[in-house]
Amino acid sequence: MSKIEKGAATDATSSLPAAYIDSHATLIGSTTPASALKPTSAVGNAIQLANSHSLQSALTPSSSLSLNGTPIPPGSACHGKVANIEAMVPAQWWEEVFCDSMYLKTDGDVVEDPDVTRQEVEMLERDDEIKRIFEQGADGKDAPSRILDLCCGQGRHTIHISKTYPHLDCHGHDQSAYLVSLARDRTASTQGSAHFTVGDCRTIPHPNEHFDLLLLMGNSFGYFKAEDGDGTLLAEIWRVLKPGGRVVLDLTDGAFMRAHFACRSWEWVDDCTFVCRERQLSADGLRLCSREVITATNKGVVRDQFYQERLYSREELNELVKEYGFEVVPVPSEQKVKLSNDVIASMGEMIIAEQMSKRKEDLGMMGHRMIVTAIKRDDTVPPLLRNVEDSVFATIQQPKPEPGSMSIPILNADHATEAITEFSAAPPLFESLVVILGDPSQACVGKLNNTWNNEDFITRDKLILALKELGYATGKNLRVLDAHSTLHQNLKHLNPKKQHFIFNLCDEGFDNNALQELHVPAILEMLRIPYSGAGPNCLAFCYDKGLVNRTADALGVPTPREISFLGDVSTPAVSNMEALHDVINQKIDYPAFIKPIKGDNSLGITARSIVHNQKDLESYMSELHEMGIRDVVVQEYCQGTEYGVGMIGNLASGFHFFPILEVDYSKIIARKLAPILGFESKWDPNSPWWNDISYKPAVISDKVREELYSWCIVLWERFGCRDYARFDFRCDFGRGDGFEAPGERRGTIKLLEVNPNPGWCWDGKFAYMGSFEKKDYKDVLGMILKAAHDRTVHEKNQKTIEEAAASK
């Protein structure tokens, strides 16, 4: 992915299109934004996104919805005249600029031209060592090289390389869910084999020392405002490269651009859309800050966006790369190479776009780029990791982490002094720990007989005992709040002389109403008290299983075939029970699986949820109606192996993955019972589903494990999970473990559920996952608290930095 500043190195012009002047006159003369007066490009973009099943992936946290439900891209309204462009640049501007198809339209003459991509890859091939990496394994004698295209965007380089060298293990990683979804679609349409993941470039979801070559192409370096931001990225690149592995950095020649950029320029990107750009150097002179006002002649201004990039000279970049554990490969710039189509280029330069652009408009930062190639040194540790405890070095230097224990070390948190895998329990992390639980004085719909049982109180006792082992004791630094009628008042009147932290374990919901689980963190947000786990938006989203699956599908995560049925509303898709039966026959197939659209505690999920025909369907729907459950999701019944993936951490600090869990249904199957985790397995101690279902570490291939990890990180980021979460999957048939015999068809592992704030009890799945790596219950609780502590400290530090910057 690259942000191209078209026209950055051209002469400014005052001859602007009339539509631009008209739209600005309208905006200046009215307080109403142009996006409110005229339709924006959002509708067209939404249609395009929907056609590529990527609509929801385009909705970033900063996006909003119009009245008809289509996404309104950030920056749709024009800001008018801006004196200080740097002040307008969002901290994470890339989340807005690359959120939809507009980027491909404005920069398409380079990033969507296959000839330009082919020539750029050909330029890489002129490096003998990179050519050797590409060809390794083609003869079947050696293992194929692993290639990572970091900030891959829509995957243009990844896809071209994987098609040219189909034996390679090619991966792409980018923060834009929309562009990655497009890359996956294009790979599938060409029957390619490249793999793509979504996430921050500073948190790469792959093991240590994993790749032979890492490409960072097309001005995807220098985005961060923080001085150590680019260093953080280089440290992460160092982590995932094998010793002796190579990294290629392709970015604008900062010295040239600083001397030649134009303050203003404009260009037509098609017959009815043009872009006007303004540029200024940042106050410190290190960055080029840019503004793009995109105008459609029939709609007016459709986008006004700001971004910035660091301007590195070759000498500055070489020194930075050396500082972070790499040896720069010297390339004589006077050495010329002739590419196909008679393109002449100098080694160490990337000027292909300048010679091949078919639009013949201004190229700006894409026109005069430099290439720096470097080799990872195994005798030098990047500076951000030098003061980290020895446990981190052990994590970083393991070429093959133990199954399920892959971790991404903390690299970009100012307070970090240890790896995410090291959760120290003593001394206590919090001065005052307040635990919020369900209210035992009220009935609790969903538990056995809708009441509290002996097992519930045993679970509470074990929790308090484990917290005591972590250094928290009632009457000293631990308090339990479980009376919901006075919860708000008790929180308001916590001792102001102490720093309190809330351990939110109220998964029953406020007033024991599962629909109100989000109310507890909402109260804490209003009172500005820090707390563990997911926020209210995440909990609300993940409570709706239909929304979760549709969003996961848009992100490229496999989900069961399904249809929603609303008991009180006739929908265009399913008008009645007869129509539901027909849809199952046509699109889902029997046996099908029925579960409530919204729900918790597996309420409404029993062996009878598996329906084999219309009679079963009508019978169980009637049973659910009697329980007050009228809206359901009807899915294909996945009959293969069931897996659980548990993870602790956060995007800023990295993740610890527990060994993947497999649900062992062997005893249940031997009794000819339905192999599902339903209501009885959670709440009825006398049920065979309670007694005869067990858990064990899953035995799966590295490739399948990495795939599940990457899906979980994507889902974590999209839904806004925090501190800990569990993701449940099941194979449609067989195991899907990657150990299939030659010619054997592999089953597809599909998402069942996203569980933010998963069950915290001593005998739940999360505790079992911890036991797989010899962690007891208190250790798992300590890891959750450590992740929450690190997150809140990091957020506080970031807020301090932002406030200091704003005051300047």
Side-chain angles (χ1 to χ4, degrees):
M1 177 178 64
S2 62
K3 181 60 216 160
I4 307 169
E5 281 197 24
K6 302 273 196 292
T10 63
D11 293 332
T13 176
S14 60
S15 179
L16 297 177
Y20 177 78
I21 300 172
D22 291 343
S23 65
H24 275 65
T26 301
L27 291 166
I28 294 170
S30 171
T31 58
T32 305
S35 58
L37 296 172
K38 303 178 181 181
T40 71
S41 62
V43 176
N45 290 340
I47 294 173
Q48 180 177 350
L49 289 170
N51 288 339
S52 62
H53 63 77
S54 303
L55 175 57
Q56 288 170 336
S57 67
L59 296 179
T60 65
S62 56
S63 299
S64 56
L65 292 177
S66 65
L67 292 177
N68 63 1
T70 57
I72 299 174
S76 292
C78 185
H79 294 278
K81 186 176 181 179
V82 173
N84 185 352
I85 295 176
E86 182 180 9
M88 298 293 291
V89 177
Q92 300 191 97
W93 58 262
W94 50 89
E95 292 183 352
E96 300 182 358
V97 170
F98 302 114
C99 74
D100 61 12
S101 61
M102 185 62 75
Y103 154 68
L104 300 179
K105 187 172 187 178
T106 58
D107 299 352
D109 59 324
V110 175
V111 301
E112 288 287 78
D113 188 331
D115 292 332
V116 171
T117 299
R118 176 174 51 79
Q119 294 278 24
E120 289 180 350
V121 173
E122 188 177 335
M123 189 72 188
L124 297 177
E125 293 169 331
R126 295 308 174 100
D127 183 309
D128 292 339
E129 180 59 23
I130 292 178
K131 180 71 171 178
R132 183 197 65 77
I133 293 173
F134 284 160
E135 293 178 341
Q136 180 177 309
D139 56 5
K141 295 180 181 179
D142 299 310
S145 302
R146 287 196 183 107
I147 315 293
L148 175 62
D149 183 8
L150 189 59
C151 303
C152 65
Q154 73 276 25
R156 63 187 185 104
H157 294 107
T158 323
I159 295 170
H160 181 86
I161 293 171
S162 66
K163 287 175 62 179
T164 307
Y165 303 95
H167 64 282
L168 289 176
D169 186 6
C170 290
H171 297 258
H173 183 68
D174 197 279
Q175 63 84 30
S176 171
Y178 168 70
L179 292 176
V180 167
S181 180
L182 192 60
R184 288 169 174 158
D185 288 346
R186 291 179 177 181
T187 298
S189 67
T190 59
Q191 298 183 333
S193 58
H195 307 279
F196 295 94
T197 53
V198 179
D200 194 304
C201 63
R202 295 162 293 180
T203 309
I204 302 172
H206 291 282
N208 309 312
E209 302 184 353
H210 192 66
F211 292 102
D212 300 278
L213 175 65
L214 188 146
L215 305 175
L216 197 60
M217 304 291 289
N219 288 333
S220 296
F221 189 80
Y223 285 6
F224 309 110
K225 283 186 178 181
E227 284 302 312
D228 64 349
D230 295 331
T232 297
L233 175 54
L234 287 172
E236 180 71 343
I237 292 172
W238 185 93
R239 180 185 71 80
V240 299
L241 274 177
K242 296 177 181 178
R246 295 202 166 208
V247 57
V248 176
L249 302 174
D250 162 30
L251 66 159
T252 193
D253 184 331
F256 177 90
M257 187 55 54
R258 185 178 284 106
H260 294 87
F261 80 90
C263 295
R264 292 180 178 84
S265 67
W266 69 276
E267 67 165 328
W268 289 97
V269 296
D270 60 27
D271 290 342
C272 60
T273 307
F274 59 90
V275 185
C276 298
R277 295 183 175 90
E278 296 180 284
R279 283 164 294 275
Q280 298 170 353
L281 284 176
S282 60
D284 58 12
L286 297 177
R287 296 167 182 81
L288 189 61
C289 306
S290 303
R291 177 191 190 185
E292 289 184 344
V293 181
I294 305 169
T295 304
T297 56
N298 61 338
K299 299 176 183 177
V301 174
V302 295
R303 190 73 60 88
D304 188 3
Q305 58 194 20
F306 300 82
Y307 55 91
Q308 66 177 8
E309 296 180 50
R310 175 71 180 263
L311 298 178
Y312 285 101
S313 67
R314 181 179 293 275
E315 293 73 23
E316 289 171 333
L317 186 59
N318 284 349
E319 288 304 311
L320 182 66
V321 168
K322 291 177 184 177
E323 183 182 354
Y324 280 85
F326 296 92
E327 178 183 348
V328 177
V329 178
V331 178
S333 59
E334 65 273 6
Q335 181 181 343
K336 302 290 184 179
V337 295
K338 185 175 181 179
L339 307 177
S340 56
N341 292 349
D342 296 325
V343 172
I344 305 296
S346 299
M347 293 297 291
E349 292 184 348
M350 186 69 82
I351 58 173
I352 293 164
E354 190 174 77
Q355 301 186 41
M356 295 192 63
S357 173
K358 297 180 177 64
R359 193 187 290 171
K360 300 301 179 184
E361 294 277 1
D362 301 326
L363 291 172
M365 296 183 78
M366 287 297 276
H368 202 100
R369 287 143 55 198
M370 60 184 179
I371 298 175
V372 171
T373 304
I375 303 170
K376 174 182 176 178
R377 296 173 54 188
D378 56 3
D379 61 346
T380 303
V381 178
L384 288 180
L385 303 179
R386 289 173 190 162
N387 296 323
V388 182
E389 294 180 1
D390 292 340
S391 60
V392 177
F393 295 125
T395 302
I396 292 172
Q397 294 170 356
Q398 290 174 3
K400 292 183 179 180
E402 291 298 315
S405 63
M406 184 189 82
S407 65
I408 300 170
I410 295 176
L411 298 176
N412 61 332
D414 295 337
H415 62 281
T417 57
E418 57 186 356
I420 199 70
T421 51
E422 185 67 25
F423 292 84
S424 176
L429 295 168
F430 303 103
E431 179 184 3
S432 169
L433 187 68
V434 180
V435 181
I436 298 182
L437 297 170
D439 188 344
S441 69
Q442 302 186 46
C444 187
V445 176
K447 293 183 182 293
L448 186 65
N449 299 321
N450 295 332
T451 190
W452 296 79
N453 301 282
N454 187 50
E455 289 76 21
D456 297 309
F457 295 108
I458 292 174
T459 297
R460 287 187 172 216
D461 290 343
K462 289 184 178 291
L463 169 68
I464 301 304
L465 179 61
L467 291 175
K468 184 177 181 180
E469 293 181 73
L470 291 172
Y472 300 100
T474 53
K476 295 182 179 179
N477 58 353
L478 175 66
R479 183 177 178 183
V480 176
L481 298 181
D482 60 4
H484 290 191
S485 60
T486 57
L487 178 62
H488 189 269
Q489 288 300 314
N490 286 332
L491 289 170
K492 283 183 65 176
H493 293 97
L494 289 173
N495 187 346
K497 296 181 179 180
K498 291 186 177 182
Q499 295 291 322
H500 302 282
F501 184 83
I502 307 299
F503 198 8
N504 179 23
L505 301 180
C506 187
D507 47 11
E508 290 87 359
F510 185 71
D511 280 343
N512 298 342
N513 182 346
L515 282 169
Q516 298 182 169
E517 184 179 356
L518 64 93
H519 288 37
V520 175
I523 292 171
L524 297 171
E525 293 281 355
M526 290 188 291
L527 295 175
R528 292 180 172 83
I529 304 175
Y531 60 94
S532 67
N537 285 341
C538 175
L539 294 175
F541 204 150
C542 294
Y543 196 78
D544 191 315
K545 297 175 177 62
L547 289 178
V548 167
N549 278 7
R550 292 300 176 90
T551 305
D553 179 68
L555 294 172
V557 178
T559 59
R561 300 185 303 275
E562 68 174 33
I563 187 72
S564 296
F565 180 79
L566 307 182
D568 297 323
V569 179
S570 175
T571 68
V574 185
S575 57
N576 52 45
M577 193 68 66
E578 184 68 31
L580 177 60
H581 168 66
D582 292 340
V583 170
I584 293 174
N585 274 326
Q586 295 167 12
K587 298 183 179 181
I588 298 176
D589 294 331
Y590 285 107
F593 193 83
I594 302 175
K595 59 184 180 182
I597 283 182
K598 297 182 178 181
D600 198 14
N601 299 329
S602 294
L603 185 65
I605 299 178
T606 71
R608 298 180 299 285
S609 296
I610 305 170
V611 296
H612 297 83
N613 48 50
Q614 186 173 4
K615 182 179 179 181
D616 287 351
L617 172 67
E618 294 175 350
S619 175
Y620 196 59
M621 290 294 290
S622 176
E623 183 177 335
L624 290 175
H625 286 184
E626 291 177 1
M627 298 169 59
I629 299 172
R630 306 188 63 79
D631 300 336
V632 300
V633 173
V634 182
Q635 297 178 330
E636 66 171 305
Y637 173 45
C638 294
Q639 304 182 52
T641 303
E642 186 169 338
Y643 300 104
V645 182
M647 55 195 292
I648 291 179
N650 284 290
L651 285 168
S653 59
F655 297 107
H656 175 84
F657 287 91
F658 287 122
I660 294 176
L661 173 147
E662 177 182 333
V663 183
D664 186 354
Y665 288 117
S666 57
K667 292 182 180 179
I668 288 291
I669 294 173
R671 298 181 63 165
K672 301 187 183 307
L673 297 173
I676 64 167
L677 286 171
F679 178 82
E680 296 88 347
S681 69
K682 292 184 177 180
W683 303 111
D684 188 355
N686 299 315
S687 163
W689 284 278
W690 175 292
N691 295 294
D692 291 340
I693 293 176
S694 59
Y695 307 117
K696 60 184 180 181
V699 179
I700 57 178
S701 69
D702 290 342
K703 183 176 181 180
V704 172
R705 182 181 299 107
E706 288 179 24
E707 193 171 50
L708 289 173
Y709 287 168
S710 68
W711 292 347
C712 291
I713 291 175
V714 169
L715 295 167
W716 177 293
E717 181 173 15
R718 179 63 185 88
F719 295 126
C721 299
R722 297 194 317 194
D723 304 335
Y724 66 122
R726 193 189 76 241
F727 302 85
D728 296 332
F729 298 88
R730 192 160 187 175
C731 203
D732 54 0
F733 69 89
R735 293 187 53 81
D737 54 16
F739 295 124
E740 293 78 18
E744 181 182 1
R745 189 163 70 95
R746 173 184 160 190
T748 301
I749 298 176
K750 301 184 177 184
L751 178 70
L752 293 183
E753 194 166 1
V754 174
N755 296 279
N757 296 9
W760 49 268
C761 56
W762 65 276
D763 57 351
K765 282 185 181 179
F766 223 70
Y768 266 99
M769 292 174 181
S771 71
F772 294 160
E773 51 185 20
K774 299 181 180 179
K775 289 183 171 64
D776 62 20
Y777 183 41
K778 80 168 189 317
D779 296 329
V780 174
L781 293 175
M783 292 173 73
I784 295 170
L785 288 171
K786 179 65 166 59
H789 171 270
D790 286 355
R791 171 181 55 81
T792 53
V793 171
H794 178 63
E795 290 171 349
K796 184 177 180 180
N797 288 346
Q798 289 298 110
K799 184 177 180 180
T800 301
I801 293 171
E802 292 172 2
E803 290 175 348
S807 66
K808 294 179 181 179

